[in-house]
Amino acid sequence: MPGVSDSHSYDSAPTGNSRVSLLAPSRRDASVNISGSAYAAFARLPTMSALATLSQPSFRGVARLKDVWLIAAGHAMTHWYTATFYLLLPLIGSELGLSYLQIGFIMTVQHAVGAAANVPAGILVDRYQRKGLMMAAALFWVGFPYLLMGFTDTYWVLLACVTLVSIGNNIWHPTAISTLADRYPTSKGLTLSIHGMGGNVGEAFAPLVVGALLALFTWREVVVMNVVPGVFASLLILAMLGVLPTWRRAPAANQTPDAATSASAQRTAGAAASSATSSTTAPTPARRWIDHFNEFGALLRNRAMVLICLSASFRTMTQVSLMVFLPLYLTRDLGYSIAWVGVCLFALQAAGFAASPIAGYLSDRMGRARIVSASMAMTAVVLITMIFAAGTPLFVVCIALLGFFLYSVRAVLQAWMLDATPTAVAGTSVGIMFGTQAAGAAIAPLAAGYVADTWGLFAVFYFLAGTIVMANFFVFLMPREFFDKRPLPAG
């Protein structure tokens, strides 16, 4: 940026082959071999303690986290369109005469593209520091394809549109999540939960608003009107480009890294920029593409990260299948109107909105594993209860409870994965996680569609219970010492 030097501090890289832990310095069993250029790429980047951060948040001080709330608002916009599409699927399926399998295949295509594109997107996030610009591009590519859907009568064009949607989502999540984790390293659970709350807000209010509009307009007219949130998102990202720094600042020459972190927590953003200007350290050397691919291979050998990603993938299978087939079950089997379906989906997301910061805050203090395993176990219990409560008022209550437990764990898994990986490859790590989730999300609607076509829509709930049980199974395979580990206390 003009007027601000891109200054950094460096740790000297040891010579020869070095063992670098991708979990934590004390986790010898989880370390992997990284040699030559790959290690040098890690060593050249600033340490966590040298990052330019604002005050580390407490639960009482979340109102001061302006950048977190701003990014969370952008996240809400990305999920607004996704939630709108879930509500429109029954209407689109009826108009185009689609089977359950074809409806499931729509979401399979979208998530399959995501599975293929997430890792390259994560590498790009680690390579380029223009985070605001990347988030602006992501928001555009999430909203624009949905407008195109309003002008098509062809199933294959519809598939092309959902493919384009994947581009935006694949850029947004690695960029936003790695940025927040970078700026708030000791409170990842809370800050990522606030980011997740943004997604819950978008997914909660979109069904209410769009459900009410569908009572007055056709789905094609609603899709065109839905461009308004996209305009808001564009204005939002312009503000974000102006206030979100994309550089890192090194400590002053007479400070240790820990002292620099403490001092930076007491300075304003303006003082931080001034310090960056006056720093005399050298800029970061360019990283080669081979370094990124070596780092990617090292991450795939990180047992804890792989298990967390697999758990997140099965949790996503539960979520995606639920969002695709719950509206179909409510409209076709229980006879709910679209407006009432919107109310049910609002209850699902509103409960998740309430649970997310609570789970994130507790995970920062009690440990990620306890929150993840308890939330997934309760999700399975609620799904089994829904099987026996079909057609009763208790079923709607169970929808809200399902949202509370299913969505509360999403950000905690993201924070847990970032605890297990180096900051220098946070974007690639998030890309791997979301790529794994996208692979599960691609399989789930197709599998659930087959279950619904073969045994009926209600049988999908048995499928959902099985996927969330598998998600919890991978949590219990985590290395015991990592399972018991608590994150650093939030300052």
Side-chain angles (χ1 to χ4, degrees):
M1 293 184 64
V4 180
S5 64
D6 191 10
S7 54
H8 303 268
S9 65
Y10 308 105
D11 298 325
S12 58
T15 59
N17 292 342
S18 303
R19 293 182 63 84
V20 178
S21 172
L22 290 182
L23 296 179
S26 61
R27 307 242 178 266
R28 295 183 181 179
D29 63 312
S31 62
V32 297
N33 284 319
I34 302 179
S35 61
S37 60
Y39 183 87
F42 280 123
R44 287 196 300 262
L45 291 173
T47 59
M48 177 73 77
S49 59
L51 299 178
T53 61
L54 302 177
S55 298
Q56 298 305 314
S58 66
F59 193 69
R60 293 172 295 178
V62 294
R64 298 194 299 269
L65 307 179
K66 295 180 181 179
D67 55 337
V68 178
W69 293 109
L70 189 59
I71 295 175
H75 192 212
M77 294 298 99
T78 67
H79 282 259
W80 174 281
Y81 291 104
T82 302
T84 298
F85 189 58
Y86 285 131
L87 195 61
L88 295 177
L89 265 179
L91 300 177
I92 296 174
S94 296
E95 182 174 316
L96 299 183
L98 305 179
S99 68
Y100 293 133
L101 189 61
Q102 288 175 309
I103 291 174
F105 187 67
I106 293 173
M107 303 311 300
T108 293
V109 168
Q110 179 176 338
H111 293 296
V113 172
N118 259 298
V119 172
I123 291 175
L124 288 175
V125 169
D126 285 334
R127 184 170 179 83
Y128 301 109
Q129 294 299 314
R130 300 294 297 275
K131 302 295 180 70
L133 182 61
M134 296 182 76
M135 282 187 267
L139 287 172
F140 172 79
W141 281 111
V142 167
F144 181 69
Y146 286 111
L147 178 64
L148 300 180
M149 292 179 191
F151 300 97
T152 182
D153 292 308
T154 307
Y155 180 65
W156 298 109
V157 175
L158 188 65
L159 293 179
C161 289
V162 298
T163 298
L164 292 175
V165 170
S166 292
I167 298 175
N169 278 324
N170 294 340
I171 298 173
W172 175 270
H173 289 99
T175 309
I177 292 172
S178 62
T179 298
L180 291 175
D182 206 33
R183 292 172 65 80
Y184 299 96
T186 61
S187 297
K188 288 192 285 285
L190 178 59
T191 52
L192 294 183
S193 293
I194 294 174
H195 177 259
M197 285 169 58
N200 288 129
V201 168
E203 292 185 4
F205 284 97
L208 282 181
V209 175
V210 174
L213 290 175
L214 286 171
L216 303 173
F217 304 97
T218 67
W219 73 267
R220 296 181 184 277
E221 292 171 330
V222 169
V223 167
V224 174
M225 288 185 286
N226 209 30
V227 73
V228 175
V231 173
F232 175 78
S234 299
L235 296 175
L236 175 71
I237 203 64
L238 287 177
M240 190 180 297
L241 284 168
V243 302
L244 182 63
T246 57
W247 65 89
R248 298 174 178 181
R249 177 176 49 82
N254 61 346
Q255 287 182 310
T256 65
D258 290 339
T261 301
S262 175
S264 68
Q266 301 173 9
R267 288 191 285 266
T268 63
S274 175
S275 176
T277 305
S278 62
S279 177
T280 59
T281 54
T284 301
R287 299 169 73 191
R288 299 178 300 170
W289 283 105
I290 190 62
D291 295 335
H292 293 288
F293 289 109
N294 287 338
E295 294 157 7
F296 171 71
L299 288 171
L300 294 182
R301 296 190 294 272
N302 183 334
R303 178 187 172 193
M305 193 204 75
V306 170
L307 288 171
I308 293 170
C309 289
L310 288 173
S311 178
S313 178
F314 275 90
R315 193 212 68 88
T316 301
M317 291 176 70
T318 307
Q319 176 186 320
V320 171
S321 298
L322 179 73
M323 293 304 297
V324 172
F325 289 96
L326 180 61
L328 292 169
Y329 176 71
L330 293 175
T331 55
R332 299 188 179 185
D333 282 19
L334 299 187
Y336 283 31
S337 67
I338 290 295
W340 274 110
V341 173
V343 171
C344 289
L345 295 182
F346 172 80
L348 181 76
Q349 297 294 337
F353 174 86
S356 186
I358 297 173
Y361 177 79
L362 292 176
S363 76
D364 283 334
R365 282 144 181 82
M366 297 173 59
R368 317 288 187 207
R370 295 182 183 182
I371 303 303
V372 170
S373 58
S375 296
M376 288 183 177
M378 288 305 301
T379 299
V381 170
V382 173
L383 282 168
I384 293 172
T385 303
M386 292 175 73
I387 293 173
F388 296 99
T392 69
L394 179 61
F395 187 85
V396 179
V397 175
C398 286
I399 291 176
L401 289 175
L402 185 61
F404 186 89
F405 292 111
L406 181 62
Y407 285 94
S408 65
V409 76
R410 179 168 56 184
V412 179
L413 282 168
Q414 294 167 5
W416 202 10
M417 184 274 300
L418 289 169
D419 288 340
T421 55
T423 307
V425 289
T428 304
S429 302
V430 175
I432 292 173
M433 184 180 203
F434 275 80
T436 308
Q437 291 179 161
I443 297 170
L446 202 60
Y450 175 79
V451 169
D453 281 335
T454 305
W455 294 286
L457 268 173
F458 190 69
V460 172
F461 289 97
Y462 291 96
F463 174 78
L464 298 179
T467 54
I468 199 64
V469 168
M470 284 299 300
N472 215 3
F473 171 74
F474 286 109
V475 172
F476 287 101
L477 293 181
M478 287 286 289
R480 180 52 50 185
E481 66 275 12
F482 196 87
F483 190 95
D484 294 335
K485 181 180 182 246
R486 295 186 184 182
L488 293 173

